[in-house]
């Protein structure tokens, strides 16, 4: 009788606190800190004392493509400004099989069935990507100067990677890079493609997706930087977005041939979440005197970026436009 009463109390408290009913919620879904603490205590108690409150058998896997507002007060996800972030493509499990069956009832045990391709989040879902594509458009302010190691400079201690004298020593990191300008994005069944500017002065295109294995927003980036003399510089690398409209970390490399023997090297830069405040300051600076390094100038031919600036200037946020960064 005591166990039955305790079970009812714990269940009632769980639902009143808004806790998820499945312990199998993926790692990339975050809840309020107080809920995480309660959930941990409940799981421990159930594991050691009750051991039978697992979900019912007969698992049916489903996907939820919806927005989850996350409290940025959570120290694990803090962006430093106390506002909310948006996560998309939340995957949940309705039930799980073969574990925690109550005494007196038999349950078949065996290895779980591997998921089918059509059940994986991030694959063949153009409608889902269309819901968040415009959240990536805007200005991501630079976060420090990043790191960049150029091989093959003018110094005799830094010969080209193709030189017989290579290497003499590792050169110091170079910089600075600038804010990331994402001028336009479009969805596809397997990801979102964006165009813009980054690095010191390179033009980039990328393709990012919600990785069905890790749950991370990441992808590929290719870039080109023109030069007054020569054929320009070319880069290839990775592009990681923490969430749609969130902080960015991109890493690119250039071989000796990709830069037409100007240099080779590896570069990494982090940028903060999209910011309307920074975007409007950038626009004002360019209007007072043309600044060729500003996002307003670099994205001047992109209608979507202009629409993002209008969204930022409005007296109230219009969420139906699908952008991000308002008031930030």
């Amino acid at each position: 009788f005591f166990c039955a009463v305790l079970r009812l109390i714990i269940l009632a408290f769980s639902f009143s606190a808004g806790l998820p009913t499945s312990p199998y919620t993926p790692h990339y879904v975050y809840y309020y800190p107080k809920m995480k603490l309660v959930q941990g205590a409940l799981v421990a108690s159930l594991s050691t004392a009750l051991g039978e409150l697992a979900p019912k058998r007969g698992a049916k896997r489903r996907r939820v493509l919806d927005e989850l507002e996350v409290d940025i007060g959570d120290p694990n996800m803090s962006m430093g400004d106390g506002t909310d972030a948006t996560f998309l493509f939340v995957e949940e499990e309705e039930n799980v099989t073969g574990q925690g069956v109550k005494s007196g009832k038999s349950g078949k045990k065996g290895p779980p069935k591997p998921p089918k391709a059509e059940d994986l989040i991030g694959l063949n879902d153009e409608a889902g990507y269309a819901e968040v594509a415009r959240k990536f458009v805007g200005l991501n302010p630079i976060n420090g100067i990043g790191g960049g190691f150029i091989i093959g400079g003018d110094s005799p201690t830094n010969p080209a990677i193709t030189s017989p004298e290579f290497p003499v020593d590792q050169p110091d990191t170079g910089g600075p890079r600038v804010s990331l300008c994402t001028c336009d994005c479009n969805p596809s069944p397997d990801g979102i493609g964006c165009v813009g500017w980054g690095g010191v002065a390179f033009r980039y295109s990328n393709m990012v997706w919600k990785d069905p294995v890790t749950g991370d927003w990441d992808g590929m980036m290719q870039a080109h930087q023109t030069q007054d003399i020569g054929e320009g510089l070319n880069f290839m690398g990775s592009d990681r977005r923490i969430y749609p409209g969130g902080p960015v970390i991109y890493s690119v490399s250039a071989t000796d041939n990709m830069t037409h023997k100007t240099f080779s090297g590896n570069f990494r830069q982090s940028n903060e979440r999209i910011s309307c405040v920074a975007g409007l300051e950038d626009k004002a600076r360019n209007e007072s005197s043309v600044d060729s390094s500003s996002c307003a100038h670099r994205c001047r031919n992109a209608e979507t970026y202009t629409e993002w600036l209008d969204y930022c200037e409005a007296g109230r946020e219009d969420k139906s436009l699908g952008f991000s960064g308002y008031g930030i």
Side-chain angles (χ1 to χ4, degrees), residues 151-174:
I151 304 298
D154 296 330
S155 171
T157 62
N158 184 20
I161 199 168
T162 56
S163 169
E165 287 77 31
F166 177 86
V168 177
D169 60 22
Q170 169 70 323
D172 294 333
T173 181

Side-chain angles (χ1 to χ4, degrees), residues 36-183:
K36 291 166 68 177
L37 178 61
V38 172
Q39 184 186 28
L42 287 175
V43 171
S45 299
L46 294 176
S47 298
T48 57
L50 301 178
E52 61 184 24
L53 290 182
K56 294 180 180 179
R57 298 178 65 244
K60 183 179 180 182
R61 203 161 180 259
R62 68 185 176 92
R63 298 189 303 164
V64 178
L65 300 181
D66 198 2
E67 292 189 351
L68 173 66
E69 293 298 322
V70 180
D71 182 72
I72 289 303
D74 184 340
N76 293 322
M77 292 302 299
S78 176
M79 299 299 168
D81 56 14
T83 59
D84 288 346
T86 302
F87 283 72
L88 273 289
F89 299 94
V90 180
E91 181 179 20
E92 298 178 347
E93 297 285 351
E94 287 182 343
N95 295 307
V96 291
T97 56
Q99 299 294 328
V101 180
K102 292 186 178 181
S103 58
K105 296 183 179 181
S106 61
K108 295 181 180 180
K109 294 184 179 181
K113 294 182 179 180
K116 298 179 180 179
E118 59 265 29
D119 295 328
L120 294 174
I121 288 177
L123 291 177
N124 194 27
D125 190 6
E126 186 167 358
Y129 285 121
E131 292 181 7
V132 298
R134 285 160 69 95
K135 290 183 180 293
F136 293 94
V137 175
L139 186 154
N140 292 86
I142 193 170
N143 178 28
I145 64 169
F149 293 96
I150 294 176
I151 304 298
D154 296 330
S155 171
T157 62
N158 184 20
I161 199 168
T162 56
S163 169
E165 287 77 31
F166 177 86
V168 177
D169 60 22
Q170 169 70 323
D172 294 333
T173 181
R177 278 149 289 282
V178 298
S179 295
L180 185 70
C181 317
T182 300
C183 307

Side-chain angles (χ1 to χ4, degrees), residues 221-236:
M221 173 184 283
Q222 63 107 0
H224 173 78
Q225 183 169 323
T226 61
Q227 291 181 297
D228 294 335
I229 300 176
E231 300 180 63
L233 315 174
N234 300 287
F235 305 88
M236 291 287 292

